[in-house]
Amino acid sequence: MGEEDLKLPGGAGPASGFFRSLMSLKRKEKGVVFGSPLTEEGIAQIYQLIEYLHKNLRVEGLFRVPGNSVRQQILRDALNNGTDIDLESGEFHSNDVATLLKMFLGELPEPLLTHKHFHAHLKIADLMQFDDKGNKTSVPDKERQIEALQLLFLILPPPNRNLLKLLLDLLYQTAKKQDKNKMSAYNLALMFAPHVLWPKNATANDLQENITKLNDGMAFMIKHSQKLFKAPAYIRECARLHYLGSRTQASKDDLDLIASCQTRSFQLAKSQKWNRVDSCSHQEETQQRTEEALRELFQHVHNMPESAKKKQLIRQFNKHSGTQTPGREPSTPPVRKRARSRSFSGLIKRKVLGNQMMSEKKNKYPTPDSVAIGELKRASKENMNLLFSGSPAVMMTPTRLKWPEGKKEGKKA
């Protein structure tokens, strides 16, 4: 940005600007728009002119051919008094409105892009490309110039930025119809550079060394106006990561802007940023693959035949899933089991009846392993019967289970 108190061409110093602003504030109290500091209320009045010109862009020599001075004075007084103007009535010509818009910009206390940014715009014009050996060439680096203008526009005062956007949009649309109005982007730049970029009270002789840069810079802003009023791509990406915590797809223009920067500090910051972005995207992809694998695993368990193992796996899914089993609708919360008894009698019951209950459960829910073990036991029992059936001394008699005396007493207790 340079020094705070810049030495501007034409002798426009802080003192003259202070008195000019003071006088304009007095006029503002009487409802004056022309010559006053830029405000949102003033922009709202001037927007009537901009809106009308958007509908009459085919007029030949628009902004170059002067309008009628009497009609311009009538229109100027109406704007200063804050009255509604019917520009569609046919009383005013397009050249009257276009000339009055230039007069409004010319009477602002400072140029639309402010005195503070004057030297920054001169340096933007010197941004050139570098060759493979790192030497500066004479080819303008358009991507870096666009990014520098985006940053400067972000720190403009809000009224200046709003009016600048309205003005550049109008001039951009005018240049698109140059086959009708004979006004190219460079012709329009010659008309508006003194009001947008030049310091106040500066003449062409004062700016002899830089007048070409200023005019070319104004034409550049008109041609690329549709890209200049958004933040650079890396700032928008950092804002998304900070406020939203997610990464969105950037446009091709944004990616070109990022790739075009040549400074080491910018490349370092950019690499650190993309490392963070890549780590976030890698975590999201890993989480997504994990969820897909869990869904496949649950589907496989769900297709298994009914068994105790299947129920156990489903219970584990319900226990570790946190919210619900993958692929299933949310179910009602499970009923909490009653805590087991810790009494001495309960301990005896579990010791005595534990094996019997486990065998009943196995018979109730047979698994392939349990079926095979049962067959093996029956086969071994039949072999034993065949072995001892030939001996008369051995008799296999069924016995009944009896409670031991100690356990009976424990049960009664």
Side-chain angles (χ1 to χ4, degrees):
M1 297 294 295
E3 301 176 359
E4 184 176 358
D5 296 330
L6 299 174
K7 296 180 180 179
L8 300 173
S16 60
F18 171 76
F19 287 111
R20 189 186 303 112
S21 300
L22 182 61
M23 296 302 295
S24 64
L25 286 175
K26 292 181 179 179
R27 290 193 299 271
K28 182 183 176 184
E29 295 174 358
K30 300 178 183 179
V32 176
V33 174
F34 283 77
S36 302
L38 194 59
T39 61
E40 296 294 345
E41 293 78 13
I43 295 174
Q45 284 286 84
I46 296 300
Y47 180 71
Q48 300 177 79
L49 308 180
I50 297 175
E51 188 178 22
Y52 173 79
L53 291 173
H54 267 291
K55 303 174 184 178
N56 298 271
L57 296 177
R58 298 177 180 271
V59 178
E60 185 174 348
L62 190 66
F63 295 111
R64 184 180 71 241
V65 178
N68 183 272
S69 59
V70 176
R71 293 195 298 263
Q72 289 174 14
Q73 187 61 43
I74 296 173
L75 190 56
R76 177 190 178 108
D77 293 338
L79 289 173
N80 281 336
N81 295 329
T83 58
D84 295 332
I85 307 169
D86 185 10
L87 295 174
E88 304 292 343
S89 63
E91 182 182 356
F92 304 101
H93 192 269
S94 300
N95 290 332
D96 303 333
V97 178
T99 305
L100 194 63
L101 177 61
K102 288 195 300 181
M103 290 175 58
F104 171 78
L105 294 172
E107 294 182 14
L108 289 174
E110 65 174 351
L112 194 57
L113 289 175
T114 71
H115 287 140
K116 191 175 182 181
H117 294 186
F118 173 71
H119 290 283
H121 284 280
L122 292 179
K123 291 183 179 181
I124 289 176
D126 294 331
L127 293 176
M128 301 296 172
Q129 293 183 3
F130 295 85
D131 58 17
D132 297 336
K133 297 181 180 180
N135 298 321
K136 191 174 183 180
T137 65
S138 59
V139 181
D141 195 336
K142 295 182 179 180
E143 286 77 12
R144 291 177 64 201
Q145 289 177 347
I146 289 175
E147 185 175 320
L149 289 171
Q150 287 175 332
L151 294 173
L152 275 181
F153 288 1
L154 284 177
I155 58 178
L156 275 175
N160 295 58
R161 188 174 190 270
N162 294 337
L163 181 57
L164 180 66
K165 186 177 190 310
L166 293 174
L167 178 64
L168 290 182
D169 285 342
L170 175 63
L171 299 181
Y172 174 79
Q173 297 298 332
T174 305
K176 285 181 67 175
K177 294 180 173 57
Q178 59 179 315
D179 57 332
K180 302 292 182 182
N181 55 41
K182 310 302 181 185
M183 296 297 293
S184 64
Y186 187 77
N187 291 337
L188 294 169
L190 295 178
M191 300 292 106
F192 283 90
H195 310 310
V196 175
L197 278 171
W198 291 16
K200 289 299 176 182
N201 303 328
T203 63
N205 292 331
D206 298 329
L207 301 171
Q208 187 173 2
E209 297 180 0
N210 299 317
I211 191 169
T212 303
K213 290 182 182 179
L214 295 174
N215 292 337
D216 290 343
M218 186 68 202
F220 184 85
M221 286 188 285
I222 294 173
K223 293 178 182 178
H224 300 277
S225 63
Q226 306 306 304
K227 299 180 182 179
L228 301 180
F229 291 92
K230 56 183 180 180
Y234 65 93
I235 291 183
R236 298 201 306 273
E237 189 65 27
C238 289
R240 290 191 188 102
L241 292 175
H242 179 72
Y243 290 106
L244 303 179
S246 62
R247 178 185 176 187
T248 57
Q249 184 67 28
S251 65
K252 183 178 182 301
D253 293 337
D254 298 340
L255 296 176
D256 292 341
L257 284 176
I258 294 177
S260 65
C261 189
Q262 301 292 332
T263 58
R264 291 179 60 87
S265 60
F266 176 81
Q267 289 177 349
L268 179 60
K270 184 177 66 174
S271 62
Q272 294 175 351
K273 170 180 70 69
W274 284 116
N275 288 337
R276 293 193 298 270
V277 171
D278 292 339
S279 63
C280 294
S281 60
H282 179 69
Q283 292 177 359
E284 292 177 0
E285 293 174 0
T286 304
Q287 180 68 19
Q288 185 177 2
R289 289 197 298 267
T290 303
E291 292 177 355
E292 292 176 356
L294 283 174
R295 283 194 292 269
E296 293 177 1
L297 181 59
F298 177 77
Q299 189 63 32
H300 175 71
V301 173
H302 183 69
N303 295 333
M304 290 173 59
E306 294 295 332
S307 64
K309 185 66 175 177
K310 176 180 177 179
K311 292 183 178 181
Q312 181 183 2
L313 291 174
I314 291 178
R315 283 196 301 270
Q316 290 178 354
F317 269 114
N318 294 330
K319 179 179 179 181
H320 294 288
S321 62
T323 56
Q324 64 180 48
T325 305
R328 286 288 186 91
E329 296 296 329
S331 59
T332 57
V335 180
R336 186 174 181 181
K337 294 183 178 181
R338 186 177 177 182
R340 292 184 177 182
S341 173
R342 297 298 179 183
S343 63
F344 183 71
S345 60
L347 179 63
I348 294 176
K349 288 181 182 179
R350 288 195 299 274
K351 289 292 184 179
V352 175
L353 300 179
N355 296 332
Q356 183 179 356
M357 292 171 65
M358 288 297 296
S359 62
E360 290 177 356
K361 287 184 179 180
K362 288 181 180 180
N363 294 334
K364 186 176 181 181
Y365 303 106
T367 60
D369 294 341
S370 61
V371 172
I373 293 173
E375 293 293 335
L376 182 61
K377 287 183 178 180
R378 284 196 295 273
S380 61
K381 184 176 180 181
E382 292 175 357
N383 292 336
M384 291 295 291
N385 291 336
L386 290 175
L387 178 63
F388 290 103
S389 60
S391 176
V394 179
M395 297 296 295
M396 301 295 293
T397 58
T399 58
R400 296 180 62 184
L401 290 174
K402 297 182 180 180
W403 291 97
E405 293 298 326
K407 291 182 181 179
K408 280 186 179 181
E409 294 175 359
K411 186 177 180 182
K412 290 179 182 179

